[in-house]
Amino acid sequence: MAPPQDVKAEIQVNEDSISQRSISNVLFIIAMQTEASPLVNKFQLTEDLDSVFPKGVPWVRYHGKYKDLSINIVCPGKDNTLGVDGVGTVSASLLTYASVQAFQPDIIINAGTAGGFKAKGACIGDVFLISYVAFHDRRIPIPVFDLYGVGSRQAFYTPNLAKELSLKVGKLSTGDSLDMSTVDEAAIHANDATVKDMEGAAVAYVADLLKVPVILLKAVTDIIDGDKPTAEEFLQNLAAVTLALDRTVTQVVDFINGKSFSEI
């Protein structure tokens, strides 16, 4: 049954009001401290030592003003037991949900590193603006549940941003492993992915659930279908590629500053 005309009108009014609203409050979800640090310095943000998050969680927040924007950068921090960055979909989902509730952002930007496929045109240091996200390791071979497992969804559409900054655009596939099994590889190819990460689709899922637009920017640290071992290449290129990510993210923030959603 189609929605009544008055409901349709209300939906249209809401969409129009969102598209014309200026962006003033930006939330960054960034998995690794190494990826976040250059941006914290660039935007001259301050670490929040009196955390708004639940007691005991290692999550870290940096905040401040940059031009006309209020900016929050949040990271999952270091695992309380092992002391490594809290990467992966579980940390990303929890952190995104808690941060949206706490800071009520206009838009979410998930920035981070990723593996890329040279067969799809990815090179080390490329930064991709993500058009679609999906999961590649949630295998539920039951009708409809299979689609839920893949969880394909569109990122916020930003044609002016892509054109103005000449950004490469590609699809992202997300899973909780750095390596790639043959089963994962088939699913990633089915997702038509140019890049592969461990958080993006989870962030996009929560953003969609809470009706917050999300932009995803992924910088390529390693070539998955190349000759070098993934972990070795990732660690070798992480520092340099993070600087490339920093430059692109700064350009994106400068572009959206003072603009409405319809202008990006």
Side-chain angles (χ1 to χ4, degrees), residues 67-135:
K67 297 187 175 180
D68 298 325
L69 299 170
S70 295
I71 293 182
N72 286 285
I73 292 180
V74 295
C75 305
K78 304 294 184 180
D79 180 82
N80 288 332
T81 302
L82 300 175
V84 296
D85 292 292
V87 300
T89 60
V90 175
S91 289
S93 297
L94 289 169
L95 184 61
T96 304
Y97 179 82
S99 298
V100 170
Q101 295 301 303
F103 310 126
Q104 298 295 303
D106 296 318
I107 194 165
I108 297 169
I109 299 178
N110 173 223
T113 54
F117 291 90
K118 65 180 180 182
K120 288 287 189 177
C123 300
I124 300 295
D126 283 348
V127 181
F128 282 88
L129 175 66
I130 301 305
S131 55
Y132 283 85
V133 300
F135 294 95

Side-chain angles (χ1 to χ4, degrees), residues 19-22 159-161 255-256 258-264:
S19 68
Q20 297 305 317
R21 192 176 73 222
S22 293
N160 296 329
L161 173 67
F255 179 81
I256 68 176
K259 290 185 173 63
S260 66
F261 285 103
S262 63
E263 294 175 302
I264 65 171

